[in-house]
Amino acid sequence: MDYLQHVLTSFRRAPLPLILLLGVTTILGTIILFYLVLFVIAPIPRDPIPSEKTFRTIETSGKISDSKLLPCWQDVHVAQRDDPPTKGDVSGARIEVEEAEVFMSLVVPAFNEENRLEIMLTEAVDYLQQTYGDYGSEGRVKGNFMRTMAGKREKPNGNTTSLEQAATQNTSGWEVLIVSDGSTDKTIDTALRFARKLGSNLSPSIRVISLKENRGKGGAVIHGMRHVRGKYAVFADADGASKFEDLGKLVTASRKIEDEAGRGVAVGSRAHLVGSDAVVRRSFLRNLLMHSFHFLLRLLTPPATAAIQDTQCGFKLFSRPSLPYIIPYMHSEGWIFDVEMLMLAESARIPVVEVPIGWKEVKGSKLNVLWDSLGMAWGLAVLRAAWGLGVYRRQ
């Protein structure tokens, strides 16, 4: 007690400039220490190894192909971005991406999904083929399938969809990139077996990519997005929880809000299901954590991102011109990656629209409700701080 009183007495006798200097030094030291700690803990994704930039598919002969090099629009974009005349300019019309070869690219992140993958792929390929036609191994759309389907496909309510306006464009066809995220089961075999079942005309449209080590769902999605050839790119979870036919709604919504450069993002949303049986039947803990996470999102994210009611739905569509503003600058590889995508879209002033979709609970989720929710909250805080304090930068 006497020691404390002595310290207080000495503090009162200290000159005011010295006290101010001590206070400023303490504050600056704390900020620097916080920045250094943040610099250490903020995740930095590893570069892909050469084998991860290849794919296998089923040849027209029915045999599994040798590993083939994946096209990578991001490599071309980065080389252009770092060229001296454009170095550092990531905001203007100079940002371009290679021309699309197909209309729709689907990226499916898959970690040990041998039991659920084929069901999801069956629904997805059925819709892709009926809507966009098939893409031949020689790089040409086969026939006029998409044109004959234009105006014929109907929504569940009986109205003709408008997404087939793409039939009048120069690009159609589809591809599926299945990214095995360090799977230890037969996910790759399941994907290739499914491709073989499609027959020689369609099987080359299925490309199977293998990551040597598990990177997380976000890491698998980002890796696949670097190699898409589509005018539009969508990622969907391997569990098939999202109603894939609602992809048409995403395309239509994206077309409506795209800017002059053709940039747009359509976010599948389950927010309209909050009062439904699918959500009500969930445990009290899961619903509590869901609402707590949404509160944290509104608190920590910028306005447009905070306005999205369902950031975590695994069904998001990107127009090709929007990709260079988002994918090369991603850092999050875990569950929180969706939020970083939306934050990057907002910072680049890319229009984003939220679209209600059909969705169902599917058994076999790898999400640990408690620990993964805590991990997402931590990841969100680190993510926001890293971007806000300049640890992460666009250039």
Side-chain angles (χ1 to χ4, degrees):
M1 191 66 179
D2 291 340
Y3 176 76
L4 179 60
Q5 186 175 4
H6 176 71
V7 171
L8 291 174
T9 301
S10 300
F11 182 78
R12 292 192 189 101
R13 293 176 180 175
L16 180 59
L18 181 61
I19 295 175
L20 292 176
L21 179 62
L22 180 62
V24 170
T25 304
T26 302
I27 293 172
L28 287 177
T30 302
I31 293 174
I32 292 172
L33 179 61
F34 178 79
Y35 184 87
L36 290 175
V37 171
L38 183 62
F39 191 85
V40 171
I41 65 175
I44 303 295
R46 66 171 176 83
D47 292 330
I49 61 177
S51 65
E52 294 175 336
K53 302 185 77 171
T54 64
F55 73 97
R56 286 187 294 167
T57 187
I58 300 298
E59 305 281 13
T60 54
S61 63
K63 296 182 179 180
I64 298 175
S65 70
D66 294 330
S67 294
K68 300 181 179 181
L69 187 65
L70 281 162
C72 185
W73 63 262
Q74 181 172 310
D75 288 347
V76 177
H77 160 70
V78 170
Q80 178 194 24
R81 185 193 66 191
D82 294 342
D83 190 57
T86 59
K87 190 172 180 64
D89 182 3
V90 295
S91 58
R94 290 177 176 173
I95 295 186
E96 298 178 355
V97 64
E98 289 181 313
E99 293 258 344
E101 297 180 33
V102 296
F103 182 78
M104 184 62 66
S105 292
L106 166 62
V107 175
V108 182
F111 174 64
N112 291 346
E113 291 288 358
E114 64 175 331
N115 295 323
R116 302 190 297 182
L117 182 61
E118 186 167 354
I119 298 173
M120 180 271 175
L121 290 176
T122 299
E123 179 185 357
V125 169
D126 177 65
Y127 179 82
L128 291 170
Q129 175 60 14
Q130 288 188 56
T131 309
Y132 306 118
D134 58 290
Y135 189 76
S137 59
E138 297 178 358
R140 298 189 299 270
V141 178
K142 298 200 170 185
N144 294 315
F145 187 89
M146 189 167 176
R147 287 177 171 76
T148 62
M149 289 300 297
K152 291 185 178 181
R153 188 173 185 87
E154 296 184 346
K155 292 181 181 178
N157 61 11
N159 297 324
T160 302
T161 64
S162 61
L163 68 93
E164 284 81 11
Q165 295 170 358
T168 62
Q169 305 296 323
N170 294 327
T171 307
S172 58
W174 55 271
E175 65 173 350
V176 177
L177 279 68
I178 302 162
V179 185
S180 175
D181 188 20
S183 297
T184 55
D185 66 352
K186 296 182 179 180
T187 294
I188 293 176
D189 294 338
T190 300
L192 291 171
R193 184 174 66 247
F194 173 82
R196 182 180 282 113
K197 290 180 181 178
L198 295 178
S200 59
N201 287 340
L202 298 183
S203 57
S205 297
I206 307 294
R207 297 184 166 195
V208 182
I209 304 166
S210 178
L211 302 184
K212 186 176 181 180
E213 298 177 356
N214 179 267
R215 302 189 69 149
K217 177 184 172 182
V221 169
I222 295 162
H223 186 82
M225 285 287 181
R226 294 187 185 116
H227 302 286
V228 294
R229 297 176 294 156
K231 184 173 182 178
Y232 288 92
V234 63
F235 70 82
D237 291 342
D239 60 5
S242 300
K243 184 179 180 182
F244 198 84
E245 191 173 82
D246 285 341
L247 174 60
K249 295 180 181 179
L250 299 187
V251 175
T252 301
S254 179
R255 283 179 172 273
K256 289 180 179 178
I257 55 97
E258 287 168 13
D259 61 18
E260 293 181 358
R263 304 181 309 164
V265 177
V267 178
S269 175
R270 305 159 295 183
H272 61 295
L273 299 173
V274 169
S276 67
D277 289 343
V279 175
V280 172
R281 290 176 183 172
R282 286 178 171 179
S283 67
F284 171 78
L285 176 61
R286 185 163 184 173
N287 283 322
L288 175 64
L289 292 171
M290 176 185 71
H291 291 298
S292 300
F293 180 72
H294 289 167
F295 173 76
L296 195 61
L297 274 174
R298 289 192 292 270
L299 191 65
L300 294 180
T301 56
T305 302
I308 300 295
Q309 294 180 296
D310 184 6
T311 60
Q312 302 309 111
C313 181
F315 200 44
K316 292 181 175 66
L317 177 86
F318 302 81
S319 67
R320 191 170 185 83
S322 69
L323 295 176
Y325 294 84
I326 299 173
I327 302 303
Y329 309 104
M330 289 290 298
H331 296 83
S332 300
E333 296 193 308
W335 298 106
I336 204 67
F337 81 100
D338 303 75
V339 177
E340 187 175 23
M341 282 182 157
L342 296 173
M343 288 172 54
L344 286 168
E346 180 176 357
S347 69
R349 299 181 181 179
I350 298 174
V352 178
V353 61
E354 193 168 7
V355 183
I357 63 165
W359 181 84
K360 61 181 181 293
E361 285 275 10
V362 178
K363 293 181 179 180
S365 173
K366 298 176 178 63
L367 180 71
N368 183 302
V369 176
L370 180 59
W371 290 111
D372 286 331
S373 295
L374 293 174
M376 288 167 65
W378 169 256
L380 177 59
V382 171
L383 177 68
R384 192 69 175 102
W387 276 107
L389 296 177
V391 175
Y392 293 159
R393 303 176 187 175
R394 280 193 175 272
Q395 181 63 22

